[in-house]
Amino acid sequence: MRTLDIVRAAVRNSFRSRLRTSLTVIAIFIGAFTLTITNGLGTGINNYIDTQLGSIGADDVMSVTKAVEAATPDEGPAEYDPDAADAIAADGPPGSTVVALTADDLDTLRALDNVESAEAAVSVSPDYVAYGSGTKYELSVSALSAGMSVTPVAGSFEATDSSPELVLTTDYIETLGYSSNEDAVGTTVEIGITDPDGAQHIVKATVAAVQEPSLLGSSVVLNDALTNELFDLQNDGAASDSFAQAILRFDPSDSATATALKADLAVAGYTGTTVADQLGTFKSVIDGIILVLNAFAVIALIAAGFGIINTLLMSVQERTREIGLMKAMGMSSGRIFALFSLEAVFIGFLGSAIGAVVAMGVGSVISGVLANGILSGLAGLQLVAFTPLSILSVLLLVMGIAFVAAVLPASRAARQSPIDSLRYE
């Protein structure tokens, strides 16, 4: 019997007992459906997080600070350090600070291996933004100097344009009095900022584009010209000789580069943080949840594997005389083993294929409903997303489990004596 004939016979034999096969397929379907949905859930959420990286920073950028450890109660008050007198309050637990960096620190950072450039991070804190004679609203901004990218839903933006420009987020549009995203593009807004003497200045800037809020907030993006103008007013034209953090650029092509650079920074007394580090916790938690859900799906598939064993054992018993006849006609034990194994693999493929197709349909519908409903505030989120590789991996996993489940009954069929089989009643 040729290989193709064995495959055809295996498919045909799978439907000899349609009820028994159908029940086994349903059990496999449940496991494959669950596994496909959970994989799609993990893919969708992680894809959304990855798309947010560009709006927060680039993968070749590292933020560097000098951290001052807060004294513990057992240690008592820390000794005064005049070199740390310019410490700046940091976002963190009470007592945590970031020591101001200087030009000497920049030189030290530039001398480290794998560092392509090191520049002071420019930070501005505007008071408000207003359009026309409308109400003034608080403004949270971020400069594009940290390698961030902008994905406009209206307009276009270049950080290097010479005129002051900014990118509003969609949640500012209606608030400021615009009728649509497109209506805001090209208009002029006023930004208020206070200098060290307490005098407030007004800067006019053009709305170049509008984008969706990022995962970490609704920061308005400023181009270089606007950032520099606000920075000069905020510092009363004086160049600052200290700053809270530095921005390093490095080659991200080798994943070991960032790790080695962080180690070098630690030795030199600095702390380096990449954008991936900031969102890494989110992904770790999500991956852990998906792993637990996948474990339940695999348990269901293992249970279905016992169903395959039961189905094939009954099939072997019912076809004992047939097996003896095939052996008497010269069919080898190996081909008989292959015949029954292929039956199991086909049942596994059938159940997993149906489960994957149904899961893709259900997942797409759920994702669309949620995106237009309770998750509408997370623009661009496709909660359940599928990739050909993830679907293929589910199919191969289920077929592999089916093959393992077929080993016992297929081996029993292959070991049968043709004489005893032909005498079986």
Side-chain angles (χ1 to χ4, degrees), residues 65-414:
T65 59
K66 262 188 175 179
V68 177
E69 296 183 359
T72 62
D74 293 338
E75 295 174 345
E79 182 179 351
Y80 172 72
D81 182 0
D83 294 331
D86 292 330
I88 304 171
D91 293 332
S96 64
T97 58
V98 173
V99 176
L101 302 176
T102 65
D104 291 337
D105 291 306
L106 288 180
D107 293 335
T108 301
L109 296 174
R110 290 171 184 144
L112 296 177
D113 293 336
N114 302 315
V115 175
E116 296 180 353
S117 66
E119 303 296 337
V122 177
S123 176
V124 294
S125 302
D127 302 325
Y128 67 85
V129 62
Y131 172 55
S133 58
T135 307
K136 300 175 182 178
Y137 293 94
E138 293 183 356
L139 181 63
S140 173
V141 302
S142 58
L144 209 66
S145 57
M148 291 160 41
S149 62
V150 173
T151 306
V153 294
S156 61
F157 179 76
E158 291 292 338
T160 55
D161 285 348
S162 57
S163 59
E165 293 182 345
L166 53 79
V167 180
L168 291 176
T169 51
T170 53
D171 48 3
Y172 276 93
I173 298 304
E174 184 177 352
T175 302
L176 290 176
Y178 295 109
S179 59
S180 65
N181 296 332
E182 291 73 17
D183 181 44
V185 176
T187 61
T188 300
V189 295
E190 293 183 350
I191 300 175
I193 191 163
T194 303
D195 64 22
D197 296 327
Q200 193 174 69
H201 303 269
I202 296 177
V203 176
K204 293 185 177 181
T206 302
V207 178
V210 179
Q211 70 171 352
E212 298 288 354
S214 72
L215 183 63
L216 296 185
S218 302
S219 292
V220 171
V221 177
L222 313 180
N223 73 346
D224 296 340
L226 181 55
T227 301
N228 292 334
E229 183 173 351
L230 292 173
F231 184 77
D232 289 341
L233 290 172
Q234 178 178 274
N235 293 278
D236 200 18
S240 176
D241 58 358
S242 63
F243 42 91
Q245 64 179 3
I247 300 299
L248 300 189
R249 289 190 179 274
F250 60 95
D251 183 4
S253 58
D254 186 357
S255 59
T257 300
T259 303
L261 182 53
K262 289 178 185 177
D264 292 341
L265 287 169
V267 172
Y270 302 95
T271 300
T273 305
T274 63
V275 176
D277 294 333
Q278 298 177 38
L279 294 181
T281 303
F282 289 101
K283 298 190 73 172
S284 297
V285 172
I286 291 168
D287 290 341
I289 294 173
I290 297 302
L291 183 63
V292 172
L293 295 176
N294 282 344
F296 285 108
V298 171
I299 291 174
L301 289 173
I302 293 175
F306 285 100
I308 293 175
I309 294 175
N310 179 65
T311 298
L312 289 185
L313 283 175
M314 295 182 67
S315 179
V316 169
Q317 184 176 357
E318 292 171 353
R319 293 156 58 188
T320 300
R321 290 176 61 84
E322 179 183 332
I323 294 170
L325 181 60
M326 287 188 291
K327 280 202 165 186
M329 295 178 64
M331 191 171 182
S332 66
S333 297
R335 290 189 174 272
I336 291 177
F337 179 87
L339 176 63
F340 283 91
S341 296
L342 284 174
E343 288 184 31
V345 171
F346 175 72
I347 292 174
F349 169 77
L350 190 60
S352 61
I354 296 174
V357 170
V358 173
M360 291 173 64
V362 172
S364 299
V365 171
I366 292 175
S367 184
V369 171
L370 292 177
N372 295 320
I374 61 176
L375 299 180
S376 58
L378 299 176
L381 171 62
Q382 185 179 357
L383 186 62
V384 185
F386 304 98
T387 63
L389 182 60
S390 65
I391 298 300
L392 179 61
S393 64
V394 171
L395 296 179
L396 293 178
L397 174 63
V398 176
M399 292 167 67
I401 292 176
F403 175 78
V404 172
V407 169
L408 175 60
S411 299
R412 178 174 294 185

